[in-house]
Structures are given as structure tokens and as C-alpha cells.
Amino acid sequence: MKKFRDLPTPCLILDLDRFEGNLDRMSRFVTERAVALRPHSKTHKCPQIAQRQIARGAIGICVATIAEAEVMVRSGIQGLLITAELVGQPKLSRFVELLKRAPNTMLVVDNIEGVSELQTVVQRAGLQSGVLIDLDIGQNRTGIKPGEPARELADTIARSPNLRLKGLCAYAGHVAHASGFETRLQKSRDAISLALETRDRLRQAGHDLPILSVGSTGTYNIDSDIAGVTEIQAGSYVFMDVEYRQIGSASDNVYTDFSPALTVLATVIHRSQGKAIVDAGLKAFATDRPFGPELLDVTGVKYEFAGDEHGRLVLENPSRPINIGDTLRFMLPHCDPNVNLYDRIHCIQGDDVVDVWSIMDRSGGYF
Amino acid sequence: MKKFRDLPTPCLILDLDRFEGNLDRMSRFVTERAVALRPHSKTHKCPQIAQRQIARGAIGICVATIAEAEVMVRSGIQGLLITAELVGQPKLSRFVELLKRAPNTMLVVDNIEGVSELQTVVQRAGLQSGVLIDLDIGQNRTGIKPGEPARELADTIARSPNLRLKGLCAYAGHVAHASGFETRLQKSRDAISLALETRDRLRQAGHDLPILSVGSTGTYNIDSDIAGVTEIQAGSYVFMDVEYRQIGSASDNVYTDFSPALTVLATVIHRSQGKAIVDAGLKAFATDRPFGPELLDVTGVKYEFAGDEHGRLVLENPSRPINIGDTLRFMLPHCDPNVNLYDRIHCIQGDDVVDVWSIMDRSGGYF
């Protein structure tokens, strides 16, 4: 059997035992809290992982793009929630095609013109579509403002014969990585209280809102305790990353609810005084955070980006010798954009490569 | 004919007139200076572009990885220089296979053990390989130190019956983006003087060194005036990006020697007080620089990253109205890692999509 240390580097390595442990832990947690899990698949963009999430009880998956939705439906996944607005005919045409194959797909909307455009294309195809109102509870990104603007939008949806209002999508992206559990708890409760007030107002106006979709890997165990939350859309828990580890958990300075399961394997290609160079740089790691990757099993070494294909290891006080030809595993700085840099995930058990899964196309993904 | 504004966004748009203008300008320049061009293809990872560079007189191309080399050779490109050390059997085995199809491929080496390992695998295959010594002229990345260490390495190569020492590769990555032409000129001359001194020392020791490969888009018109430089490995000039535009040219605060030919097309999916949201975020743009993308034809708007699939346009003083559904073109922050985020390049003339080129796999690229 192929050993993972013989793979050409850089490459993605998924420790299956840790990965399945993460899936099991989240599955048990949401089952105990009687909240549903519709995990976000923009983290992995990998049908095999979505299938394993569904097999462990997830009610469907979230996707961020029409291309992700297409790939998942083609792989037999149902119960999709598209968490970003689809604007313009190229995407709306594809959405209608998708609805034919996956009629229970839901799409977020955040403005009256968008609802009108969606109603037109769905009606023309003789279909029905479920929609969630995308609510801005503090992220300052997409989403309609809570309260009266959301009620007007709900009324518009209710008057649209081919759309069915299923609830609210209230993602607090500004809270997901807030550092310190108590801080995160307060911020998330504050944000979600805006969604609950809006839900109440819309119900008083006669709207049925069975779904309130919220949350992230940072707040899964906060939001699931809030009465009224019906489902959690956490994604990163399957892999984990440096960023989530830094935010701390309810009991620890390091967030260890889930294990770092996904790493980048790199090779030391140069060694000189006080430094080593690995073959993994800007094209191997996510660069959107102010910190880089961290070695999985070695301390006293700091990674610095050093070009497209190069990373510099500053050997401050390495806990083991670092030699040319060594293969090293790095935790990802930020898992979602990091996974997006690869075509494949190499699944390992111990030293053996036991499976290879495909990550969907970077751009496109038509069927 | 398909109009580019009807493409699903985000996507890469290459303005062919500007692109070919960039190719022509560089081609004319190196011809006049009687220096050779072996452009770096890690910028584009696209055989169609490499073929166009060769057709305009490039003597070959540089590549950064064995996978890039494989894709280029499979597309009929010859004259490859692999600019990063290949360490470990998985890559060296592939290098030997590549040599069979492209015997004039050259590989950089920077240490005696690496030369020994390379000699062994090349000899075992009954082949010959050209090598360049990778010289560290200040970047503090890979490369052997100039002077005596380089001479020892040259002697080792000379004693390796299946390797032929062809010269020096002296990439001054720390100079490429130095701001201000005069500063860049001085820094590049200083760096390359280290390479020239080493070349002289190695010649005195009896080594023939026909090649001195240096340079970048930032220094192409500096390095080509330095006696002894034989070839330039600039890459970004084909596309251009925000970073290169900021460094200034010999005559202007903005570097305009080459035109911004490649852009990301994005759609406005949300519009509210003072801001617009586009469907292009961390997975659509390179994030390794402290600045984001810039709008191609609109001023008074600042782009902020707002998640994997979202960018926030802060509408400070927009030179035109920004409305939901608008498609906007953005200059790339840093072209090499930005191109790496896409599978395809859509080539346009005016509003028409006239061709679609493939960007090679993110990871792998076997043949």
C-alpha cells in the first residue's frame, strides 16, 4: 500500500481517524441538543465528505455557489441550502436547471428585486422554490436588515406564487472567530436575538417560518442552546485549522473540540544556517490571515511565506532535527480557502494512503 | 458570439489586445538588447500562453514545479528551466521521465547532496541533464552562497558524468517589487554583481558557464543592460497586477510598461447604504499582499475581503453608479497566485469571448 510520505508534495493529507472522530462528535452533539445540522460544504467542496455528513444524520448541506450546488446534486446529495444570493441570468438559469433535479433546494434572498427576478424564472420553468430570508445580524455583508425591512421582504415572497418562504438564514460571520468562549457566547446571543425578534415580528404578520439557520464551528455549542434555532451550518469542524484553534474553547485556551484532521504535506528542499525551505508557499496555503501554517508535530519552528512555491522555516528552537528531504505536515491557516488550492485529498490511516477524493473544479462545475 | 458579461462570475477575463501588446513589447525589448527571454510560466500555468511566448522568440520557459514541466512538455514546449530544486524520489523519478521527452530540460541545484542524488537517478536512466547552480544573491530562500561554496558545488557537478553545468540561476526575488526605479536599479545591480563575481571565480576554476539567468518583470529593463546577463525570466508582464503597478517605472509613479490584461469579472449581488457586495472573495483573488484588487475602470471605490465568496465595495466616491447585477472587472492584487485559483482563462476581444484556455491542475499534473 502506498505510504503518504511518498506522495509528491505539496499535497493535502486527511487523517481519516481524526476526521471521522470530528464527524461523530458533531453528530452526537446535535443529536443530544435536538438541533439539526446542515453543514457548510464550501469548506471541503468534496462530495465524498458531504455523503459522510449525510450518513451521520445531517439533514442536507449548505453550499455557497451554484457550481457547488451542481456538483453536490450530481453526486446524489439533496437538502441543499444555497447561502449566497444568485444574481444575473447565467446563475439563475443554472439554478432553475438544478431545481428540476433537486426540488427541495433552498436559496437565500435579501431584496425585493431579487425576489421578483427569482419568481419570474422559477414560474417560467413551472417550478416551485423554497427560499430563506438572508438576514444581516451584524456581519455587514449581504442580508436585509432585521425588523421592518425583513417583514416587507417576507410579504413580497408570500405574494410570489412560485416561492415558498421557509425561514431565516442568519449567519453571524463576524462572531465565528471571536476569541474567548465567553466573548463569543455574548456576541452570538446578541446577534441571534436580532434574528429571533425578526422571526417573531414576521410570525405576527402571518408568516410561517419553520427554519432558523445559524452558526459556525466557533458557535455550534452556543447557538444550539438558543431556543428557536432549528439548524446549525458549521463547516470547518471536519478539518479544523490554525485560526479556529486560536479562538479558545469553553474549557481551554486552545480550541480542541475537534481535531486537526487535514494537513499539507511538504518536503524540505533546502537547509542552511538557522533555516529550512519547504516546497509549499503561496499556492499551497491560504494567505488571507495574518498568520501562516503551523507544524503538526514539531515546536520551535516558525513558517514564513517565501514565494509561490517556497516557505521558510525559521528554526528558532526546533523540537526535532529538520533535514533536507524530510516530509513535514502543516496545519492549515484557514481551511476553506486552503482546500480550494488543491484538486485532491489523500486519505490516510497511519502511514497508508487508503483513498483519494476529488475536490471540485476551482471555477465552473457545470453539468 | 458569447459576450463576456454573460459569463458566470467570478471568472478570469484576458483582454487579448492588451495581452498580445505585452508579449510584443517584451519581445521587441529583449531583441533590441540582444538578451534572451525564458519567461516564467508559473505566472500563467497555461500551455497556450507558453506557446505564444515561444512563437514571439522566447528560447524556452521557466517552470517552478515538476508538474508544470510535465504539462508544458506534453503541450510541445521545449527549452525548460526548472527554477526550484527537486528533492525526493517521487519528484526525481518524474524528472527522469520528463528528461526522456525533453532532453534539453535544465534543473537548478544548490547543494552537494542534491547533485549526488540527481547524478544517481539520471545515470541509472542512462541520460544526461543540464543543471544551473541556484545562487542566493540576497533572497534568503534556496540557493547556495556566492563565491567559494558555489565553486565547490561547480566542481562536484563537473565530476558528475551525467550532469552538465550550464551556468547560474540568480533570481533576486527580494528586488523584483522594490519601489522606485532608481532604488530597484541599485538593488538589482548589487545583487547581480554577486552573481558576476561568482561566475568569474568559477570560470577561473575552469568551468564553462554559458547561461546567467536572472530578472523579473520589475527588473527586466535593468538586468538586460548588465554585461554578462544572458537571459531574463520575467513572468508577470503578460498579465500585470496591482503590485507591479505600484512599484513605479523609469518615467512614471505607476508602472505602465505593460498593460493590465487579466482581470476578474465579478457581479454585484447586494447594494445597500454606502456599500456593494460582489461575488468574488478569498477564493477569487490572491490574498497574500496587504492590498486587495482594484477596479479596472472605476475610481473612488475600495475593495475589502468579506469571506470566501464575498467582497465588500466601500463606495467612497464612485466615478459611476454601482447597481445590483452590474458586472465589474478587477485588476489582480498579485497575478501568479491569483491565476492559480481558476481553471480557465476567458479570452476576449471587445465584448466577445473568442477563446477559452485551460489552466493546469492545482496539484498533480501527471502524464
Side-chain angles (χ1 to χ4, degrees):
Chain A
M1 187 160 290
K2 189 155 197 151
K3 304 296 177 188
F4 78 83
R5 292 194 189 277
D6 295 331
L7 292 168
T9 55
C11 62
L12 282 182
I13 302 288
L14 182 66
D15 183 314
L16 279 188
D17 293 340
R18 288 181 173 203
F19 166 71
E20 288 172 0
N22 291 343
L23 294 187
D24 289 340
R25 200 165 304 120
M26 182 62 94
S27 175
R28 276 198 308 273
F29 185 89
V30 296
T31 303
E32 283 166 11
R33 303 299 167 107
V35 68
L37 177 67
R38 196 186 312 261
H40 215 306
S41 65
K42 75 183 176 73
T43 301
H44 53 72
K45 300 178 84 138
C46 173
Q48 286 97 331
I49 293 180
Q51 286 157 355
R52 281 161 177 76
Q53 291 175 313
I54 302 276
R56 279 171 174 80
I59 60 169
I61 58 164
C62 294
V63 296
T65 68
I66 185 64
E68 289 173 10
E70 289 164 349
V71 167
M72 291 299 169
V73 167
R74 194 168 47 193
S75 304
I77 307 288
Q78 293 277 322
L80 269 59
L81 166 59
I82 304 177
T83 61
E85 286 70 15
L86 296 179
V87 174
Q89 285 307 311
K91 289 178 183 172
L92 287 173
S93 305
R94 288 163 70 176
F95 176 68
V96 167
E97 290 305 306
L98 185 92
L99 266 186
K100 293 176 186 168
R101 297 178 63 159
N104 63 353
T105 299
M106 296 181 291
L107 174 61
V108 298
V109 292
D110 76 349
N111 73 87
I112 286 171
E113 296 70 23
V115 168
S116 168
E117 199 175 12
L118 183 63
Q119 161 61 25
T120 301
V121 298
V122 174
Q123 181 172 40
R124 194 182 301 140
L127 300 170
Q128 296 274 327
S129 175
V131 297
L132 296 191
I133 291 176
D134 177 16
L135 202 65
D136 180 4
I137 55 171
Q139 190 179 17
N140 187 27
R141 197 167 75 175
T142 60
I144 198 157
K145 292 289 175 205
E148 190 55 19
R151 193 198 54 77
E152 284 177 28
L153 188 62
D155 290 350
T156 305
I157 297 166
R159 288 191 301 266
S160 304
N162 297 74
L163 305 183
R164 282 163 288 129
L165 178 59
K166 307 280 276 186
L168 303 177
C169 180
Y171 176 62
H174 58 303
V175 176
H177 294 101
S179 195
F181 188 78
E182 288 303 320
T183 302
R184 208 153 63 244
L185 181 135
Q186 197 53 55
K187 281 176 182 277
S188 199
R189 285 183 179 168
D190 289 351
I192 290 176
S193 72
L194 297 171
L196 293 171
E197 287 164 25
T198 297
R199 181 203 61 177
D200 292 345
R201 180 191 285 241
L202 269 57
R203 283 192 173 160
Q204 283 157 20
H207 298 291
D208 185 27
L209 297 165
I211 294 176
L212 175 54
S213 173
V214 305
S216 62
T217 295
T219 63
Y220 79 102
N221 54 349
I222 295 166
D223 303 343
S224 52
D225 278 342
I226 299 175
V229 165
T230 65
E231 58 185 73
I232 302 290
Q233 51 178 261
S236 303
Y237 73 96
V238 297
F239 297 146
M240 286 299 292
D241 56 25
V242 172
E243 181 168 40
Y244 266 124
R245 284 171 63 83
Q246 288 180 351
I247 67 172
S249 70
S251 58
D252 196 344
N253 281 335
V254 177
Y255 179 102
T256 51
D257 297 23
F258 303 96
S259 298
L262 190 69
T263 52
V264 167
L265 185 74
T267 302
V268 176
I269 65 166
H270 173 98
R271 180 75 171 80
S272 51
Q273 187 60 41
K275 77 166 196 268
I277 302 292
V278 292
D279 60 355
L282 304 175
K283 290 176 179 170
F285 292 114
T287 57
D288 60 301
R289 296 299 188 241
F291 44 82
E294 289 181 6
L295 276 163
L296 185 65
D297 298 315
V298 187
T299 60
V301 175
K302 188 169 161 45
Y303 176 98
E304 298 175 348
F305 286 103
D308 285 357
E309 316 288 350
H310 296 87
R312 184 184 298 108
L313 301 185
V314 182
L315 306 178
E316 292 164 346
N317 183 27
S319 60
R320 51 151 275 194
I322 306 285
N323 297 311
I324 198 160
D326 286 357
T327 50
L328 301 171
R329 277 191 283 176
F330 291 86
M331 287 187 280
L332 318 179
H334 179 192
C335 59
D336 298 23
N338 207 138
V339 169
N340 188 53
L341 297 171
Y342 292 83
D343 288 323
R344 285 178 277 283
I345 296 173
H346 300 272
C347 305
I348 65 167
Q349 281 181 318
D351 291 335
D352 296 330
V353 179
V354 296
D355 212 344
V356 182
W357 296 339
S358 288
I359 299 161
M360 63 170 277
D361 286 5
R362 287 163 286 194
S363 46
Y366 297 81
F367 60 70
Chain B
M1 188 162 286
K2 188 153 198 156
K3 305 297 178 188
F4 77 81
R5 291 193 189 278
D6 295 330
L7 292 168
T9 56
C11 62
L12 281 182
I13 302 288
L14 183 65
D15 184 314
L16 278 189
D17 293 341
R18 289 182 173 203
F19 165 72
E20 287 172 358
N22 290 343
L23 294 186
D24 290 339
R25 200 165 304 121
M26 183 62 94
S27 175
R28 277 198 308 273
F29 185 88
V30 296
T31 303
E32 283 166 10
R33 305 296 167 108
V35 68
L37 177 68
R38 197 187 309 263
H40 214 306
S41 65
K42 75 183 175 73
T43 301
H44 52 71
K45 301 179 85 137
C46 173
Q48 287 98 330
I49 294 180
Q51 285 157 356
R52 281 160 178 77
Q53 292 175 314
I54 302 275
R56 279 173 174 80
I59 59 169
I61 58 164
C62 294
V63 296
T65 67
I66 186 64
E68 289 173 11
E70 289 165 348
V71 167
M72 292 299 168
V73 167
R74 194 168 47 191
S75 303
I77 307 288
Q78 292 277 323
L80 269 58
L81 167 59
I82 304 176
T83 61
E85 285 72 15
L86 297 179
V87 174
Q89 284 307 311
K91 290 179 181 172
L92 287 172
S93 305
R94 289 164 69 176
F95 176 69
V96 167
E97 289 305 306
L98 185 91
L99 266 187
K100 294 176 185 168
R101 298 177 63 158
N104 62 354
T105 299
M106 296 181 293
L107 174 61
V108 298
V109 291
D110 77 348
N111 74 86
I112 286 172
E113 294 71 23
V115 167
S116 167
E117 199 174 13
L118 183 64
Q119 161 61 25
T120 301
V121 297
V122 173
Q123 181 173 38
R124 194 181 301 142
L127 300 171
Q128 295 275 326
S129 174
V131 298
L132 296 190
I133 291 176
D134 177 15
L135 202 66
D136 180 4
I137 57 172
Q139 190 179 15
N140 186 27
R141 197 167 75 177
T142 59
I144 197 156
K145 292 290 175 206
E148 190 56 20
R151 192 198 56 76
E152 283 177 27
L153 188 61
D155 290 350
T156 305
I157 297 166
R159 288 192 300 267
S160 304
N162 297 73
L163 306 182
R164 283 162 290 127
L165 178 59
K166 307 280 278 187
L168 302 177
C169 181
Y171 176 61
H174 58 302
V175 176
H177 294 102
S179 195
F181 187 78
E182 288 303 320
T183 303
R184 207 154 61 244
L185 181 135
Q186 198 53 55
K187 280 176 183 277
S188 200
R189 285 183 179 166
D190 289 351
I192 291 177
S193 72
L194 298 171
L196 294 171
E197 287 164 22
T198 297
R199 181 204 58 177
D200 292 345
R201 179 191 286 240
L202 269 58
R203 283 192 174 159
Q204 284 159 19
H207 299 291
D208 184 26
L209 297 166
I211 295 176
L212 175 54
S213 173
V214 305
S216 62
T217 294
T219 62
Y220 79 104
N221 55 349
I222 295 166
D223 303 343
S224 53
D225 279 342
I226 298 174
V229 165
T230 65
E231 58 185 77
I232 302 289
Q233 51 177 259
S236 303
Y237 73 97
V238 298
F239 297 146
M240 286 298 293
D241 56 25
V242 171
E243 181 168 41
Y244 266 126
R245 284 171 63 83
Q246 289 179 350
I247 68 171
S249 70
S251 57
D252 196 344
N253 280 337
V254 178
Y255 179 101
T256 52
D257 297 23
F258 303 96
S259 298
L262 190 69
T263 52
V264 167
L265 185 73
T267 301
V268 176
I269 65 165
H270 172 99
R271 178 75 171 80
S272 51
Q273 187 60 39
K275 78 166 196 267
I277 302 291
V278 292
D279 60 354
L282 304 176
K283 290 177 180 169
F285 292 114
T287 57
D288 60 303
R289 294 301 187 239
F291 43 82
E294 289 182 5
L295 276 162
L296 185 65
D297 298 316
V298 187
T299 59
V301 175
K302 187 169 162 44
Y303 176 98
E304 297 174 350
F305 285 104
D308 284 357
E309 315 288 348
H310 296 88
R312 183 184 299 109
L313 301 184
V314 182
L315 306 177
E316 292 164 345
N317 183 27
S319 60
R320 50 152 276 195
I322 306 284
N323 296 310
I324 197 161
D326 286 357
T327 50
L328 301 171
R329 275 190 284 176
F330 292 86
M331 288 186 281
L332 318 179
H334 180 192
C335 59
D336 298 23
N338 206 139
V339 169
N340 188 54
L341 296 171
Y342 291 84
D343 288 324
R344 284 177 277 282
I345 296 174
H346 300 272
C347 304
I348 65 167
Q349 282 182 314
D351 291 335
D352 297 329
V353 180
V354 297
D355 212 344
V356 182
W357 297 338
S358 287
I359 300 161
M360 64 169 277
D361 286 6
R362 287 163 286 194
S363 46
Y366 297 80
F367 59 69

